[in-house]
Amino acid sequence: MMFVIPILLFLVSACDSPKEKPVDKGRVQVGAEVLIRDHLDQLDGKRVGLVMNPTARIGDTHMLDTLMALEVDVAALFAPEHGFRGEAGAGEVIEDGVDQETGLPVYSLYGDTKKPTQAMLRNVDMLLFDMQDVGARFYTYNVTLGLVIEAAAEADIPVWVLDRPNPAGGDYVAGWTLEERHQSFVGAYPVPMAHGMTLGELARMMVGEQWLDIERRPELRVIRVEGWRRSMKWPDTGLPWHPPSPNLPTFEHAYIYLGTVLFEGTTLSEGRGTEDPFLTIGSPRTTITEVQLQAIRDRYPAVSIVPHTFTPKSIPGKARTPRYEGQQCHGLSLEVRRYDTLDPVEFGVSLLDLLLESTEGAETTEFIYKLAGTEQIDRRTTGWEESVRLFREKRRPYLLYE
């Protein structure tokens, strides 16, 4: 049964207000830093569970190590896709275990169990959620966050989201809004492909819009980022890039991924098994003419697009069995020249159309509907402007940053 929650009824702390605390000091400070600086005393006497991955860092130091050094009582660790310390590739099942460095129990949230059980939370008084997202609906961390909030509500324990910037910026919203019949673990909520929100903002929207399966009001708190503005893309933040998953080693990969992820829903290679996944696209049977190549170059001058031959190989921890492993593929190599003038979702749809047309026997799979969120992808045209406008209006009450 869904708990009826007025939009602003769920708990909103001073950390949540977009106007109450001035940003400071010339650099972006992530929520984890703000927690340590301003709110550490509120963890005293609490058995704390951490829902984190390798991006939960202040500088080069993982939050687990920081909290342990500060003598916070960390009771349990919860591992999303790719694992708590990032040792698993995309789609690889995470097993329960023990963290080798601390001896703490690690509970998998990416295997048979994707939502914390009440038994996992028995010795936990509160949860800290800290992961760097990429701003994509189909990136599984936002679904994990929703399930964590549901489980915490059942257990009557608070969830604090230690917020981080949206790398693609808070103003970039693009793609189709997810239709209910295509809901899955790579798309659970009715938001566009690129939603332009931080995970803290998205968590507030999940609760306020009653997207979660909860019977009692969740105790949700967002520890805000300081110094981040919606107009900023990742290079503007000055923050180091810690890969949010093994196949997104740089911001460039993560930005183009917002569109070229669609190739995961085809019979072509999206570049897994190469050094540049999502920037390398093709197959053994792809043949692109000079006319086709020049046409897409003219349309997207913000991207360098060059013919490329590559052979995917097994890369443990990144791509154990990539598509076309050991086979020579032909296609394109991409390099982003201008982030400010590139719409990566629109570009991904156009590139999809080109590669399918240029590859004998290439086709889409059912998975593409989970990524796009709609069967409108079959038309290879955009047409999402009105739904994006409506989403921008709907998300407005939940935004924390100007």
Side-chain angles (χ1 to χ4, degrees):
M1 171 172 112
M2 304 294 286
F3 187 83
V4 178
I5 306 170
I7 284 179
L8 295 179
L9 184 61
F10 56 95
L11 297 186
V12 179
S13 71
C15 298
D16 291 318
S17 169
K19 302 187 187 304
E20 289 186 14
K21 200 164 191 177
V23 297
D24 109 321
K25 308 165 181 165
R27 74 177 183 87
V28 170
Q29 298 178 71
V30 297
E33 289 181 271
V34 177
L35 171 78
I36 297 302
R37 188 192 70 203
D38 295 342
H39 308 289
L40 194 64
D41 61 327
Q42 296 176 52
L43 306 185
D44 290 347
K46 304 290 187 182
R47 298 169 300 174
V48 180
L50 306 183
V51 188
M52 297 182 179
N53 68 4
T55 64
R57 293 175 180 270
I58 301 175
D60 290 328
T61 305
H62 197 282
M63 271 297 284
L64 170 59
D65 302 320
T66 297
L67 293 171
M68 296 288 282
L70 292 169
E71 299 185 346
V72 172
D73 183 7
V74 179
L77 311 177
F78 298 85
E81 184 178 10
H82 307 296
F84 192 86
R85 295 191 181 273
E87 64 279 1
E92 292 183 21
V93 171
I94 307 298
E95 303 288 348
D96 289 349
V98 174
D99 180 64
Q100 294 303 306
E101 295 186 28
T102 62
L104 290 167
V106 181
Y107 298 110
S108 169
L109 300 182
Y110 195 75
D112 292 337
T113 300
K114 291 184 170 64
K115 176 179 175 178
T117 66
Q118 296 305 289
M120 292 176 184
L121 299 175
R122 185 175 298 125
N123 296 315
V124 172
D125 298 318
M126 66 180 301
L127 290 169
L128 299 182
F129 185 103
D130 187 7
M131 297 183 213
Q132 179 59 61
D133 193 42
V134 301
R137 181 191 65 228
F138 35 77
Y139 214 60
T140 61
Y141 300 159
N142 71 82
V143 185
T144 295
L145 174 56
L147 294 174
V148 165
I149 294 171
E150 289 181 1
E154 293 172 23
D156 198 22
I157 61 175
V159 176
W160 289 15
V161 178
L162 311 186
D163 216 6
R164 291 180 179 265
N166 183 321
D171 291 331
Y172 179 61
V173 181
W176 297 282
T177 296
L178 178 71
E179 296 170 359
E180 186 175 358
R181 66 180 176 277
H182 296 302
Q183 284 182 328
S184 71
F185 196 67
V186 294
Y189 308 115
V191 303
M193 292 171 63
H195 50 68
M197 301 178 78
T198 68
L199 283 182
E201 292 174 327
L202 194 53
R204 287 160 50 91
M205 192 170 187
M206 291 175 193
V207 175
E209 294 297 315
Q210 303 173 38
W211 292 341
L212 303 180
D213 185 11
I214 48 180
E215 296 183 350
R216 64 175 75 185
R217 184 174 70 241
E219 189 175 341
L220 172 68
R221 184 176 186 182
V222 178
I223 307 297
R224 291 186 58 213
V225 182
E226 292 190 0
W228 185 70
R229 299 185 303 277
R230 309 204 76 80
S231 60
M232 289 180 171
K233 296 192 188 302
W234 190 264
D236 303 319
T237 68
L239 294 169
W241 181 262
H242 298 291
S245 55
N247 284 289
L248 300 180
T250 71
F251 168 65
E252 180 182 22
H253 292 82
Y255 195 63
I256 206 80
Y257 163 85
L258 297 175
T260 58
V261 67
L262 292 169
F263 286 93
E264 292 192 323
T266 73
T267 55
L268 291 104
S269 168
E270 74 289 279
R272 292 187 190 274
T274 75
E275 292 304 310
D276 285 310
F278 304 106
L279 289 165
T280 304
I281 310 293
S283 84
R285 294 178 295 280
T286 297
T287 305
I288 300 172
T289 69
E290 283 295 328
V291 172
Q292 290 172 315
L293 184 59
Q294 192 57 49
I296 198 164
R297 282 172 170 169
D298 290 344
R299 186 174 177 185
Y300 296 101
V303 187
S304 169
I305 307 170
V306 299
H308 185 54
T309 298
F310 60 98
T311 303
K313 63 180 181 179
S314 177
I315 306 175
K318 291 184 69 174
R320 287 190 179 176
T321 57
R323 191 174 294 157
Y324 301 122
E325 180 181 355
Q327 298 181 53
Q328 188 177 76
C329 295
H330 310 285
L332 298 173
S333 175
L334 312 173
E335 182 181 351
V336 180
R337 291 171 171 159
R338 292 283 304 273
Y339 295 110
D340 59 337
T341 59
L342 176 65
D343 181 331
V345 178
E346 180 194 316
F347 174 68
V349 175
S350 297
L351 197 66
L352 177 69
D353 190 41
L354 169 62
L355 270 292
L356 288 174
E357 181 182 302
S358 306
T359 305
E360 181 184 355
E363 58 187 12
T364 59
T365 67
E366 287 295 314
F367 188 58
I368 203 167
Y369 302 129
K370 294 181 179 180
L371 297 170
T374 177
E375 292 169 25
Q376 293 181 54
I377 184 65
D378 290 339
R379 301 192 196 119
R380 315 278 190 268
T381 57
T382 55
W384 51 64
E385 292 79 9
E386 179 61 12
S387 63
V388 163
R389 185 190 69 77
L390 292 173
F391 175 74
R392 284 183 180 276
E393 288 298 315
K394 182 174 285 190
R395 75 176 189 163
R396 193 183 303 277
Y398 309 105
L399 300 184
L400 297 171
Y401 311 94
E402 300 294 341

